[in-house]
Amino acid sequence: LLSVKEKYVLREILFKVGEIYNIDKVDESKKRIFNSGLFSNVEILNKLVDKENGLLNIEIKVLEYKSSSIEANFSFTELDHWQEYLKPTGVEAQARWVLGNILNTTSNIEFTGKISSDFYLDIFTDKPLIKRDFTAIYRTPWTLYFRIPTQIKYFHIEQSEDSELIIDGLTYSLKFDKMNDTRYEFNSTFEIIQSNDSSIIEEDEEPARWMNFIYISNKIKNPLNPVGGQYLSFISTLYGTFLGGDRNFVKFEGEFRKYLRIWNDNIFALRVVVAYINNLETDNDLPDIYKFQLGGQTSLRGWASYIDKYEGSLISDMINLEYRFPIKNKFGGELFIDAERLYETIDAFINT
């Protein structure tokens, strides 16, 4: 080890000197060392030293990451969106600077700047939605003496062609991965929303405090080109109440995806999304920026998002059905049916 202290490797190891060899503990230790973010390569080698008594020496070889890195890229991607399942597709330019091994520990700091635009053009203004954001993130794989990754993020967001929506905030996150396909996450956020458009927020500036719990089970086979498996997520978010802020409500969002291989390389895909907001202030309607929307490439395709700006509702359900088939070589096609509904009340949701 050159710049990393030995203790940051030893605390990731699950086996002890003198105990019975356990391949599962060895593999999990290797994974933990790699996930610390300090090393680009980790090898654990077994060397037999006493055949009669079955004694092994275990050698751990690591290759340290460079302490800092700078990168830039341009890509076609799904853009970040406040409504998790409504991420629009667009182009994005990004620059990132990472400072690793802070004070010779497993912590790192990342600075990222982005500018992006979705593909939707307003037919009246002929201008795309432009988004600019900057984030500064501090990460560490340990919280006190527990192997629970912690993240603190400052973010600044400017959105739309006239920068009519500006958000500054700070988020504290705890993340816990159970095996390779299940993740739990807790976030606590304070943010200030600014806008000169009354359809977004009622005042020029509005503080918001919220915390949420996220559960994700991702068992999709080959995520870049799914051929089977399923995905399940649930997000529960509390705004205001004892946290403070101008709004008091609870938001629930659930999503399920299923991929089935029919024959050869033909795939049937199903996606169901249900979302609900319980406004705890019945005499104070929520601004539309907090409500659910529809439209766009990742929800109700064929309907543009941002229709009537940020107009939305308290309840939403959506289903996407797709049949994907190969044509020739790397080319393929798909047939799809999308349906989505927005409601303001439970009665309207049940009786429609």
Side-chain angles (χ1 to χ4, degrees), residues 9-33 42-46 56-60:
V9 176
L10 296 179
R11 70 178 182 180
E12 305 291 355
I13 298 174
L14 299 177
F15 51 85
K16 298 179 181 179
V17 175
E19 73 174 39
I20 297 176
Y21 181 81
N22 186 319
I23 185 63
D24 293 331
K25 285 187 177 182
V26 173
D27 289 342
E28 183 63 21
S29 298
K30 179 179 178 180
K31 176 185 172 184
R32 285 163 60 101
I33 296 171
V42 179
E43 290 184 89
I44 297 184
L45 307 175
N46 303 323
L56 292 173
N57 274 346
I58 296 179
E59 181 180 1
I60 300 175

Side-chain angles (χ1 to χ4, degrees), residues 249-307:
F249 63 93
V250 184
K251 177 188 290 187
F252 302 97
E253 301 168 81
E255 179 177 354
F256 175 77
R257 304 179 207 164
K258 182 72 174 181
Y259 299 89
L260 297 173
R261 185 191 293 269
I262 302 175
W263 61 83
N264 296 330
D265 292 323
N266 293 259
I267 304 296
F268 174 77
L270 164 70
R271 181 185 183 218
V272 178
V273 176
V274 178
Y276 169 67
I277 293 175
N278 180 18
N279 186 5
L280 303 178
E281 298 178 289
T282 56
D283 58 343
N284 187 12
D285 191 26
L286 289 177
D288 286 327
I289 189 174
Y290 295 110
K291 295 182 179 180
F292 300 115
Q293 303 171 27
L294 58 76
Q297 301 94 329
T298 56
S299 67
L300 192 63
R301 288 164 287 190
W303 291 82
S305 57
Y306 312 109
I307 295 176

Side-chain angles (χ1 to χ4, degrees), residues 96-265:
R96 186 173 67 162
W97 179 26
V98 180
L99 298 172
N101 303 356
I102 303 301
L103 300 177
N104 290 329
T105 69
T106 55
S107 305
N108 68 70
I109 297 177
E110 175 185 314
F111 301 97
T112 304
K114 299 179 185 178
I115 182 169
S116 58
S117 172
D118 74 354
F119 288 138
Y120 169 61
L121 296 179
D122 191 309
I123 61 174
F124 299 107
T125 64
D126 197 32
K127 292 181 179 179
L129 180 77
I130 301 295
K131 181 181 178 184
R132 295 170 289 274
D133 63 77
F134 169 79
T135 60
I137 303 174
Y138 169 79
R139 296 187 184 92
T140 177
W142 285 75
T143 301
L144 298 177
Y145 298 102
F146 300 98
R147 188 60 164 80
I148 301 176
T150 293
Q151 174 179 290
I152 300 174
K153 178 173 75 171
Y154 164 77
F155 56 90
H156 172 83
I157 301 169
E158 298 180 14
Q159 187 167 298
S160 90
E161 64 274 12
D162 299 319
S163 298
E164 60 188 5
L165 176 64
I166 300 175
I167 302 176
D168 288 278
L170 188 68
T171 297
Y172 175 76
S173 303
L174 294 173
K175 301 180 180 182
F176 176 71
D177 292 326
K178 185 179 180 181
M179 298 181 290
N180 294 325
D181 54 24
T182 303
R183 176 163 64 90
Y184 302 91
E185 183 175 330
F186 169 81
N187 301 288
S188 178
T189 298
F190 169 72
E191 60 186 8
I192 297 177
I193 304 171
Q194 303 176 65
S195 177
N196 54 12
D197 190 334
S198 60
S199 67
I200 299 178
I201 55 176
E202 296 174 354
E203 304 291 339
D204 291 342
E205 182 176 296
E206 179 173 306
R209 295 179 176 88
W210 52 269
M211 62 182 185
N212 69 2
F213 171 77
I214 300 174
Y215 166 81
I216 296 176
S217 175
N218 188 351
K219 299 181 180 180
I220 295 176
K221 302 174 183 177
N222 188 11
L224 295 179
N225 185 25
V227 295
Q230 65 185 38
Y231 171 96
L232 176 67
S233 71
F234 175 77
I235 304 174
S236 175
T237 307
L238 173 66
Y239 278 78
T241 63
F242 67 90
L243 300 172
D246 290 354
R247 304 295 170 184
N248 300 283
F249 63 93
V250 184
K251 177 188 290 187
F252 302 97
E253 301 168 81
E255 179 177 354
F256 175 77
R257 304 179 207 164
K258 182 72 174 181
Y259 299 89
L260 297 173
R261 185 191 293 269
I262 302 175
W263 61 83
N264 296 330
D265 292 323

Side-chain angles (χ1 to χ4, degrees), residues 43-65:
E43 290 184 89
I44 297 184
L45 307 175
N46 303 323
K47 294 184 177 181
L48 187 63
V49 295
D50 188 335
K51 187 174 182 180
E52 292 184 1
N53 295 313
L55 297 180
L56 292 173
N57 274 346
I58 296 179
E59 181 180 1
I60 300 175
K61 292 185 176 182
V62 295
L63 180 62
E64 296 180 37
Y65 270 124

Side-chain angles (χ1 to χ4, degrees), residues 80-98:
D80 292 334
H81 192 271
W82 68 272
Q83 190 171 332
E84 181 65 25
Y85 68 88
L86 268 187
K87 293 184 176 181
T89 302
V91 293
E92 178 180 87
Q94 172 183 283
R96 186 173 67 162
W97 179 26
V98 180

Side-chain angles (χ1 to χ4, degrees), residues 32-43:
R32 285 163 60 101
I33 296 171
F34 182 79
N35 288 342
S36 70
L38 293 170
F39 309 104
S40 60
N41 186 55
V42 179
E43 290 184 89

